[in-house]
Amino acid sequence: MKLFILASITLLLSVQAFASVKSSSSSTVKTVITYSQHGGRDVVFKISNSEISCADGYWLKKPAPGFEANLSVLLSAYHSKSPVIARGHDDQIWKGSTGKYCLLYSIELI
């Protein structure tokens, strides 16, 4: 019984942790903006078909794990005009704008 309760609580917490991740449809990268001093050298980008919760785009923060890999995929998609699917945390909105930029969770080059 204790194992069942522990498993149930773990499952509930896991579902809530990913509940804020929203996925775009297939899109192209329209704009990439980098900041040398704002935030932690943030990168902001806009795509052609943003998910409504992330209507203005997505942002990356420099100290985040995977920053370089995500930025590399982002720039590759931008220059080649290849489609991507962006996923972002809609509960972590960028403070550098009044717009709705979600913290990037992943970017998939398709």
Side-chain angles (χ1 to χ4, degrees):
M1 183 67 171
K2 287 182 184 180
L3 184 59
F4 175 75
I5 292 172
L6 181 60
S8 298
I9 290 172
T10 303
L11 180 62
L12 272 173
L13 292 175
S14 297
V15 169
Q16 283 202 347
F18 289 105
S20 68
V21 175
K22 304 296 183 191
S23 182
S24 74
S25 58
S26 179
S27 306
T28 55
V29 180
K30 296 184 343 183
T31 308
V32 179
I33 306 168
T34 64
Y35 292 89
S36 61
Q37 296 180 11
H38 185 73
R41 297 177 303 278
D42 298 338
V43 174
V44 174
F45 68 97
K46 297 179 181 192
I47 59 175
S48 58
N49 297 317
S50 289
E51 200 278 329
I52 193 72
S53 298
C54 307
D56 295 298
Y58 302 85
W59 67 287
L60 297 85
K61 53 185 173 181
K62 175 78 171 155
F67 174 85
E68 289 83 8
N70 287 328
L71 183 59
S72 177
V73 169
L74 174 64
L75 292 174
S76 173
Y78 176 75
H79 289 293
S80 67
K81 299 184 181 358
S82 297
V84 297
I85 294 176
R87 293 175 186 85
H89 295 278
D90 69 347
D91 62 345
Q92 296 182 49
I93 302 300
W94 189 51
K95 296 189 183 342
S97 170
T98 57
K100 291 189 75 177
Y101 293 89
C102 295
L103 179 63
L104 186 68
Y105 175 75
S106 68
I107 185 163
E108 178 181 351
L109 186 57
I110 52 177

